Amino acid sequence: MIRPEDLLHPTPAGLYCPPGDFYIDPVRPVDRAVVTHGHSDHARAGHGAVLATRQTLAIMAERYGADFTAREQAVEYGERTTLNGVELRLIPAGHVLGSAQIEVRWKGLTMVVSGDYKRRRDPTCALFEPIPCHVFISEATFGLPVFNHPLAEEEVARLVRSLGQFPERAHLVGAYALGKAQRVIKLLREAGWDRPIYVHGAMERLNALYEREGVDLGPLRTTRDLLKGSLGGEVAIAPPSAIQDRWARRFADPVTAFASGWMGVRARARQRGVELPLVISDHADWTELTDTFTELKPDEVWITHGREEGLLRWAEINGQKARALRLVGYDDEDDEAVSGPAEGSGEATAAS
């Protein structure tokens, strides 16, 4: 019998496949990488070759430049390919545009590396697809029972109501530049907000990429040349760090909002001085995680980058074999905001 560790096992560089001689989401430059999605802790520059969805490759090129790797291999969802005799298939993960689970098959053993994922509808990316497997490798960002996120549509409805209640005040929404910002914009459109939405310059290039990929974001305007006291009754979206720095001072008595799964923790919202916390996450919450394990019924679950202990205990109680991988080098882009570049630089590293 082939052991799962013979097919995939953790190394300092990331999750490694010895028979295929490739890494999944490596945290340092390697000869061959398979990348689940475009967030910078999973998609790094400098690899010899990168296999990913076409959208993820486009995101990496936008963020790092066209020479981010020596060789690109674009694979469509559901398409089967092989690396040194190991069969791969990329399946939608529901996290952000182009995000994929990596199905790895070799000598009768099937393992699925889910990357970051969520099970909820997102109008900006393909919905997560459950894939039967022997071993399912899952994130654990919100791997505690306290995390049960409300519907994102309900949170955006709260934002729209606030705009009606405070028409004289600008509403500044902190949102991660890749995935979260576009999702909030699209949900606002679905909620009937058809006025221009103002965006920090650091988001313009990624917004344009989403538009090229067929995600209609409606009329967007830059905030670059606004006068002080502007945008009463309007929405502006920016990296979370920007809503707390001098960039925000130009707006009319702003209502500060932050779109993050962590906004369900009141202490975090207070710590950031957020007036309107929006509990909108691109990660699976506790119910989504445990429902996924129950639905898939894999022989084993491997749990990584997050709160593994709660899920390990759940697995023990429910008779599910599980272990913690304890991979390092993966940040939670739904957590701490870090300082991003100046507006107009075309790239934001702030996290949400």
Side-chain angles (χ1 to χ4, degrees):
M1 292 291 293
I2 300 168
R3 301 178 308 159
E5 295 84 354
D6 296 331
L7 181 56
L8 288 173
H9 65 257
T11 73
L15 200 58
Y16 180 57
C17 177
D21 192 24
F22 61 84
Y23 293 81
I24 297 177
D25 291 352
V27 298
R28 61 182 64 169
V30 299
D31 288 339
R32 180 174 290 277
V34 178
V35 174
T36 61
H37 67 280
H39 282 142
S40 58
D41 56 335
H42 293 256
R44 303 172 191 245
H47 305 309
V50 173
L51 183 150
T53 64
R54 179 180 55 78
Q55 294 92 340
T56 292
L57 292 171
I59 289 167
M60 293 180 73
E62 192 67 59
R63 306 189 98 179
Y64 302 126
D67 59 350
F68 70 91
T69 182
R71 300 184 306 281
E72 300 178 25
Q73 182 177 352
V75 178
E76 297 298 322
Y77 287 135
E79 177 186 351
R80 295 191 183 276
T81 188
T82 58
L83 292 178
N84 298 320
V86 175
E87 187 175 286
L88 300 178
R89 192 162 62 114
L90 274 56
I91 309 296
H95 182 53
V96 296
L97 181 70
S99 61
Q101 305 171 77
I102 313 299
E103 181 190 66
V104 184
R105 300 179 66 184
W106 185 62
K107 295 186 176 180
L109 177 65
T110 301
M111 302 179 72
V112 171
V113 183
S114 60
D116 290 335
Y117 68 99
K118 65 178 180 292
R119 301 298 303 267
R120 310 202 182 186
R121 171 187 173 272
D122 182 337
T124 69
C125 67
L127 187 66
F128 177 97
E129 294 182 15
I131 301 299
C133 55
H134 298 102
V135 178
F136 182 69
I137 302 176
S138 174
E139 62 151 306
T141 302
F142 292 105
L144 291 173
V146 68
F147 294 116
N148 281 287
H149 303 318
L151 294 176
E153 291 81 358
E154 294 175 354
E155 296 298 280
V156 168
R158 292 177 55 237
L159 172 60
V160 173
R161 285 197 297 272
S162 182
L163 284 157
Q165 291 166 349
F166 303 104
E168 74 285 358
R169 302 179 68 186
H171 283 59
L172 309 185
V173 182
Y176 188 61
L178 170 58
K180 186 71 62 63
Q182 296 79 24
R183 185 182 179 200
V184 170
I185 291 169
K186 191 67 175 176
L187 289 173
L188 274 166
R189 299 307 186 197
E190 292 184 347
W193 189 263
D194 56 5
R195 293 157 69 172
I197 294 174
Y198 292 81
V199 295
H200 190 285
M203 295 180 167
E204 291 180 275
R205 289 168 59 186
L206 287 171
N207 287 342
L209 187 153
Y210 267 69
E211 291 271 7
R212 292 195 299 272
E213 292 295 330
V215 180
D216 182 7
L217 300 176
L220 302 178
R221 302 285 185 272
T222 182
T223 61
R224 189 174 295 110
D225 300 319
L226 290 175
L227 299 176
K228 190 172 182 179
S230 299
L231 297 191
E234 305 293 347
V235 179
I237 299 180
S241 58
I243 68 173
Q244 296 177 326
D245 69 14
R246 62 183 182 180
W247 174 86
R249 297 174 191 167
R250 72 188 74 181
F251 301 106
D253 186 20
V255 173
T256 58
F258 186 15
S260 167
W262 293 106
M263 288 297 96
V265 180
R266 292 180 181 178
R268 295 211 181 197
R270 288 196 300 268
Q271 184 181 35
R272 292 179 179 275
V274 174
E275 184 175 349
L276 181 61
L278 302 173
V279 187
I280 301 174
S281 178
D282 287 331
H283 295 264
D285 67 8
W286 173 263
T287 300
E288 292 172 82
L289 291 165
T290 56
D291 283 354
T292 299
F293 300 168
T294 301
E295 178 181 4
L296 293 178
K297 296 182 174 63
D299 296 339
E300 190 171 352
V301 173
W302 293 0
I303 303 167
T304 184
H305 62 284
R307 283 123 194 100
E308 298 101 330
E309 294 79 7
L311 288 171
L312 289 172
R313 177 60 177 159
W314 178 92
E316 180 183 2
I317 292 171
N318 288 274
Q320 170 68 69
K321 186 177 180 182
R323 72 179 225 188
L325 278 190
R326 308 194 189 283
L327 292 172
V328 297
Y330 299 101
D331 300 322
D332 175 11
E333 83 282 343
D334 214 20
D335 190 358
E336 298 301 325
V338 297
S339 297
E343 180 178 356
S345 67
E347 176 60 19
T349 59
S352 69

